[in-house]
Amino acid sequence: MTDDVAVAVVAAGRGSRFGGDGPKCLELWRGRPLVSWALESAVSSGLFPVLLVAGYRRHEVERAAPAGVDVIHSRRWRDGIAHS
């Protein structure tokens, strides 16, 4: 495992183009939220630290983060991905 390369999963937006009432990252696929699949891959990559960037409905998104994932709150999520 390397200790000098981070991986970030950006799940801060509302997903408005996706449709629905909730964040796109929380939509279920095969019984799990989409973000959980991305986080599983990030954790198993061996990169460290693993960061989850959450904004819209962040408390719900944070619940998908397994132990060891650092959650960062994007306060400017409305301004687009570049601000997250």
Side-chain angles (χ1 to χ4, degrees):
M1 177 162 68
T2 181
D3 58 29
D4 59 350
V5 178
V7 60
V9 174
V10 182
R14 203 180 79 194
S16 58
R17 291 180 300 235
F18 188 73
D21 295 327
K24 173 176 53 181
C25 65
L26 293 180
E27 288 294 318
L28 297 181
W29 185 66
R30 295 188 177 180
R32 292 173 42 198
L34 290 173
V35 71
S36 73
W37 294 95
L39 289 169
E40 179 181 339
S41 293
V43 168
S44 66
S45 74
L47 300 174
F48 182 81
V50 175
L51 309 170
L52 170 62
V53 182
Y56 177 69
R57 291 172 61 174
R58 71 180 171 106
H59 295 295
E60 294 171 56
V61 175
E62 288 174 4
R63 284 195 284 275
V69 172
D70 295 321
V71 180
I72 298 170
H73 179 207
S74 173
R75 289 177 171 76
R76 294 183 60 193
W77 64 267
R78 289 176 188 85
D79 295 331
I81 195 167
H83 294 282
S84 292

